[in-house]
Amino acid sequence: MSLLVVGSVALDSVETPFGLKEDILGGSATYFSTSASFFTPVKMVAVVGEDFPQAHLDFLKGRGVDLEGITREKGRTFRWKGRYGWQLNEAETLDTQLNVFQSFSPKLPESYRDAQFVFLGNIHPELQSQVVDQVKGPKLVAADTMNFWINGSRPSLLKTLKRVNLLFVNDAEARQLSGEHNIVRAARAILGMGPQRIVVKRGEYGALLFDQEHIFACPALPLADVFDPTGAGDTFAGGFMGTLATAGRVDGEVLRRAMVMGSVMASFTVEKFSLERLREVERNDIRVRFSEFKRLTHFEELGPLDG
Amino acid sequence: MSLLVVGSVALDSVETPFGLKEDILGGSATYFSTSASFFTPVKMVAVVGEDFPQAHLDFLKGRGVDLEGITREKGRTFRWKGRYGWQLNEAETLDTQLNVFQSFSPKLPESYRDAQFVFLGNIHPELQSQVVDQVKGPKLVAADTMNFWINGSRPSLLKTLKRVNLLFVNDAEARQLSGEHNIVRAARAILGMGPQRIVVKRGEYGALLFDQEHIFACPALPLADVFDPTGAGDTFAGGFMGTLATAGRVDGEVLRRAMVMGSVMASFTVEKFSLERLREVERNDIRVRFSEFKRLTHFEELGPLDG
């Protein structure tokens, strides 16, 4: 079934101890779509500037991403500038320029309006709501957010959350949003705000899926080399939503598989810089890594004679 | 098979916002043994002072803990004093008095010397080594340590580690001991120091088991109320070692079950203050909670037609 994403498409410039990389393809919708594209075609809604290279659009198109919802506006593309120190595992943000995203007003092409699975990337809650206005009866509306909106646009976010079926947050965001320190209490509080399900992303500690009655815990793959965690959360969401859209349904078994697939995809992203690893990954790599996750977690139930 | 533990038996005094509890039973060997006692008889090696209440010894004996290795010395029992604030989830250490533990020299009774499974609780590495000297051909020697020994008695610890088959550490200890920040690299480095296996305890984030080729990840049970994490690590070790000793062997399947059982037992300990919850737990509670862990983590392998 169809999968729609609205989010940022960016040009990133990154300083490393080994040199400067400028204007490389980035953005939350980019990571999401590249990840999800292994599972299902993705319909993207975003805005880029006059300076956005055609080559990047060709890359996305080559991945089966539907670009009809991407508009090219006068002005510059959303830009992010970061710097990696010798730690090499997290970038320090030097500069963020919204540019054309400043006045972004998502308009869904007609062909997008019956998307069954919708991912509202991390943008202003009001814009997220506008996208929900334009889809007709999706099976699942999922959303991501960040401390910037939780703190700065809380009333708008709370309104939008009433229309969201599944929210992705990290530990800190869950705590900020709910006012609870304990993660179970935080999740329960957020479940009371609209979403029927919450995914709490915990970086190297894995992820938790909550609904009113159940919790599912999925680990992150322990890796000796975590090169660049940028985009891992969006990659996770892409693998997750891609799995749901492929299955065409939302039940316990599919949700669990979606959690693991999200973790599988994120485990690739962090292994190399930016989108490099995702560009190389093949479907068989995904199968193999999914099996690694099974081996990482599997244990037998107690037998009747066991203590 | 027999399980031996050497560690601290203590009298704890704790201030809470609701009052003062003095001289309650504590100590790493106490938590370990109480936990392990659900699975197998435990042989304890420790030292208490003249002031140690018989009632505490009776409690341990009632749990099937063999007290022949506990000596009563002139002087005061090891004492720990802590304070809980309104957070109620971690105690601040106000005072630690080694007392009779200052001159502790573990002497194993003859009946202890053929213990098959040995747990060297968190004491001076030299004393841990002395215990290994006194056992004849155990199947597995496991040990715990802490930053105090890693920093202050490193050469002695490194000597002892050569004689240890399995080391329990938390994230911070693994990093301190190895000098590596990445947890996989840290574990690999420690695997080069003697132990064939490492368990990295990560509190609310679960635990990881490493050997040269495999990693197993076990979650912690997400709990709405984490009342008192004191003793959780020792409780984990008790459930883990109790499971191995019951099975009488050390293979992949048993080790995984031991990890989960450790996590099961620790999940009880944190629910109430001190040993209170462990005192109440019954075997059926353990089975039920083990099943909860299965539900918390289980997912199906991909089918041939899956993406």
Side-chain angles (χ1 to χ4, degrees):
Chain A
M1 287 187 186
S2 50
L3 173 59
L4 183 154
V5 58
V6 60
S8 59
V9 174
L11 292 174
D12 295 345
S13 291
V14 191
E15 289 177 36
T16 74
F18 311 110
L20 176 64
K21 297 200 184 212
E22 293 194 275
D23 290 354
I24 53 179
L25 178 58
S28 62
T30 301
Y31 280 97
F32 178 94
S33 301
T34 307
S35 175
S37 72
F38 286 95
F39 304 95
T40 193
V42 183
K43 300 178 192 302
M44 191 191 282
V45 181
V47 62
V48 297
E50 294 162 300
D51 55 352
F52 195 73
Q54 184 62 35
H56 293 339
L57 293 170
D58 293 340
F59 162 72
L60 291 169
K61 194 163 174 199
R63 290 285 172 159
V65 179
D66 186 337
L67 306 180
E68 202 190 336
I70 298 185
T71 50
R72 198 190 272 277
E73 300 284 335
K74 271 181 151 35
R76 281 157 53 82
T77 303
F78 178 88
R79 261 184 169 68
W80 176 78
K81 195 170 180 184
R83 175 167 57 200
Y84 287 84
W86 285 103
Q87 272 295 93
L88 279 179
N89 63 349
E90 195 141 6
E92 169 201 347
T93 294
L94 298 175
D95 191 27
T96 308
Q97 299 169 9
L98 289 179
N99 294 335
V100 292
F101 255 92
Q102 192 81 44
S103 55
F104 179 42
S105 182
K107 296 275 180 297
L108 266 56
E110 190 57 41
S111 65
Y112 282 20
R113 287 168 179 267
D114 54 10
Q116 289 298 287
F117 291 87
V118 177
F119 180 70
L120 309 171
N122 167 28
I123 57 177
H124 196 297
E126 175 56 36
L127 300 185
Q128 291 177 320
S129 214
Q130 285 176 20
V131 171
V132 180
D133 288 336
Q134 298 177 58
V135 285
K136 301 179 277 189
K139 268 195 170 13
L140 186 98
V141 174
D144 199 350
T145 190
M146 74 184 286
N147 49 2
F148 188 74
W149 309 120
I150 296 169
N151 294 334
S153 311
R154 192 180 178 91
S156 181
L157 179 61
L158 292 179
K159 267 180 65 178
T160 298
L161 285 181
K162 290 185 171 43
R163 313 179 71 189
V164 167
N165 304 120
L166 188 150
L167 183 66
F168 293 88
V169 280
N170 62 29
D171 271 330
E173 289 154 1
R175 289 172 171 138
Q176 274 180 309
L177 182 53
S178 65
E180 293 278 359
H181 180 80
N182 174 282
I183 208 64
V184 174
R185 291 177 175 278
R188 284 184 189 163
I190 300 168
L191 288 169
M193 295 177 185
Q196 291 80 42
R197 293 183 170 96
I198 313 291
V199 174
V200 181
K201 302 170 289 177
R202 307 181 112 183
E204 67 174 298
Y205 302 117
L208 296 170
L209 168 68
F210 292 88
D211 68 24
Q212 287 290 5
E213 287 154 12
H214 308 100
I215 308 175
F216 175 69
C218 175
L221 191 70
L223 293 167
D225 297 291
V226 176
F227 193 77
D228 177 9
T230 304
D234 297 306
T235 304
F236 178 96
F240 183 100
M241 295 297 288
T243 300
L244 292 191
T246 302
R249 63 182 203 276
V250 184
D251 59 44
E253 187 196 324
V254 177
L255 283 163
R256 285 161 178 246
R257 190 160 17 140
M259 287 284 283
V260 180
M261 269 308 184
S263 212
V264 162
M265 297 309 297
S267 75
F268 287 122
T269 292
V270 303
E271 286 179 333
K272 284 197 176 182
F273 183 72
S274 180
L275 282 163
E276 276 179 35
R277 190 73 177 95
L278 281 187
R279 289 179 187 260
E280 299 169 345
V281 162
E282 295 181 7
R283 293 184 68 80
N284 193 55
D285 299 325
I286 297 173
R287 289 195 68 92
V288 166
R289 189 144 294 182
F290 191 98
S291 293
E292 271 192 71
F293 269 81
K294 190 71 180 166
R295 285 196 300 282
L296 179 66
T297 59
H298 181 76
F299 62 91
E300 295 297 328
E301 179 63 88
L302 289 178
L305 298 176
D306 289 313
Chain B
M1 287 191 185
S2 51
L3 173 59
L4 183 154
V5 56
V6 60
S8 61
V9 174
L11 292 174
D12 294 345
S13 290
V14 190
E15 291 178 34
T16 76
F18 311 111
L20 176 64
K21 296 200 185 209
E22 292 192 279
D23 289 356
I24 53 179
L25 179 59
S28 62
T30 302
Y31 280 97
F32 178 93
S33 302
T34 307
S35 176
S37 71
F38 286 95
F39 303 93
T40 194
V42 183
K43 300 180 194 303
M44 192 192 281
V45 181
V47 61
V48 298
E50 294 162 301
D51 56 353
F52 193 73
Q54 183 62 37
H56 291 341
L57 291 170
D58 294 341
F59 162 71
L60 292 169
K61 195 163 173 198
R63 289 283 170 159
V65 177
D66 186 339
L67 307 180
E68 200 188 337
I70 297 186
T71 50
R72 199 189 269 277
E73 300 285 336
K74 272 182 149 34
R76 281 157 54 85
T77 302
F78 179 89
R79 264 182 167 71
W80 176 78
K81 195 170 182 182
R83 177 167 57 201
Y84 288 84
W86 284 103
Q87 271 298 94
L88 278 181
N89 62 350
E90 195 141 7
E92 169 201 349
T93 294
L94 298 175
D95 191 27
T96 306
Q97 300 170 7
L98 289 179
N99 295 335
V100 292
F101 255 93
Q102 192 80 41
S103 52
F104 180 42
S105 183
K107 295 277 181 291
L108 267 57
E110 191 54 44
S111 66
Y112 282 20
R113 288 167 179 268
D114 54 11
Q116 288 298 288
F117 292 87
V118 177
F119 180 70
L120 309 171
N122 169 26
I123 56 178
H124 196 299
E126 175 55 36
L127 299 185
Q128 292 177 321
S129 215
Q130 286 175 20
V131 171
V132 181
D133 287 338
Q134 299 176 60
V135 286
K136 303 178 273 189
K139 269 192 170 11
L140 187 98
V141 175
D144 199 348
T145 191
M146 73 185 286
N147 50 1
F148 188 75
W149 309 118
I150 296 168
N151 295 333
S153 311
R154 193 180 177 90
S156 181
L157 179 61
L158 292 179
K159 266 180 66 179
T160 299
L161 285 181
K162 289 186 173 43
R163 314 178 70 189
V164 168
N165 305 120
L166 187 149
L167 183 67
F168 292 88
V169 280
N170 62 30
D171 271 330
E173 290 155 1
R175 290 172 171 141
Q176 273 179 308
L177 182 54
S178 66
E180 293 278 0
H181 180 82
N182 175 283
I183 207 67
V184 175
R185 290 176 176 277
R188 284 185 191 162
I190 300 168
L191 288 170
M193 296 177 183
Q196 291 80 41
R197 295 182 168 95
I198 313 290
V199 174
V200 181
K201 302 170 291 178
R202 306 180 111 184
E204 66 173 295
Y205 302 117
L208 296 171
L209 168 68
F210 292 88
D211 68 28
Q212 288 289 3
E213 289 154 10
H214 308 101
I215 307 175
F216 175 68
C218 175
L221 191 71
L223 292 167
D225 296 290
V226 175
F227 192 79
D228 176 10
T230 305
D234 297 307
T235 304
F236 178 95
F240 184 99
M241 295 296 289
T243 300
L244 292 191
T246 302
R249 63 181 203 277
V250 184
D251 60 44
E253 186 195 327
V254 177
L255 283 163
R256 287 160 177 249
R257 187 155 23 132
M259 287 284 284
V260 179
M261 268 310 182
S263 212
V264 162
M265 297 310 294
S267 75
F268 287 122
T269 291
V270 302
E271 285 179 333
K272 284 195 176 183
F273 183 72
S274 179
L275 283 162
E276 276 179 33
R277 189 75 178 92
L278 281 187
R279 287 179 188 259
E280 299 171 344
V281 163
E282 296 179 7
R283 294 183 67 80
N284 194 56
D285 298 325
I286 297 171
R287 289 195 67 91
V288 166
R289 188 145 294 180
F290 191 97
S291 294
E292 274 193 70
F293 270 79
K294 189 70 180 164
R295 284 196 301 281
L296 179 65
T297 58
H298 182 75
F299 63 92
E300 295 296 328
E301 180 60 89
L302 288 179
L305 298 176
D306 289 312

